[in-house]
Amino acid sequence: AEAADGLGPEVVLLVVGGPTHAFGMSRPATRESAKDRGATAVPGAGIREWIDGLASPRTAVAVATFDTRTVSPRLPGSAAKKALKRLVALGFEPAAKPETFGVHGYEGPLADGELERARAWGVTLAERAESRGAGG
């Protein structure tokens, strides 16, 4: 909720991400299940609840979403796709296709090459945001 309160007119890009749980965005029950399996849980709401409490942007704001999913077994579903759909319904403009980064097991670490891929994705998003902020 802190980030939602801080969305002002200077924000040109919002990046939202979280793990894929049970084919989509996490819920209290899926976060509790992950915690029971040894995952480190951050107290508070997940992105589902955060998005549900988010107001429509007053000005054009681009949004990009990402999720993490296990590389083996490769399970269906995407928190990023579902998050982007909800954010676009609120009036955000998609800046990129939803992105998935692979992790080993349910608790991580990131799979080989994924950190570098995430950095490259972030650079691309930043360049797009910079050109938007400059009137592009």
Side-chain angles (χ1 to χ4, degrees):
E2 299 88 23
D5 297 339
L7 281 183
E10 71 282 358
V11 176
V12 295
L13 173 66
L14 177 66
V15 180
V16 178
T20 297
H21 284 186
F23 314 112
M25 291 182 285
S26 68
R27 296 182 302 281
T30 63
R31 287 191 295 277
E32 193 61 36
S33 175
K35 188 175 161 188
D36 290 345
R37 289 192 314 265
T40 304
V42 176
I47 63 172
R48 175 188 301 268
E49 294 84 5
W50 184 80
I51 292 169
D52 287 347
L54 192 59
S56 294
R58 289 186 286 273
T59 60
V61 176
V63 67
T65 59
F66 71 93
D67 60 34
T68 56
R69 273 189 279 173
T70 62
V71 293
S72 181
R74 185 69 174 178
L75 300 172
S78 169
K81 287 180 182 177
K82 294 197 167 90
L84 185 62
K85 184 176 181 178
R86 285 188 184 204
L87 289 161
V88 167
L90 283 173
F92 290 85
E93 299 173 5
K97 295 186 309 185
E99 191 61 65
T100 293
F101 299 102
V103 296
H104 293 292
Y106 293 107
E107 290 81 35
L110 283 168
D112 294 343
E114 292 297 81
L115 183 58
E116 293 79 11
R117 211 167 61 76
R119 283 187 179 133
W121 183 69
V123 167
T124 300
L125 292 175
E127 288 169 352
R128 289 180 190 166
E130 188 175 302
S131 68
R132 278 179 61 94

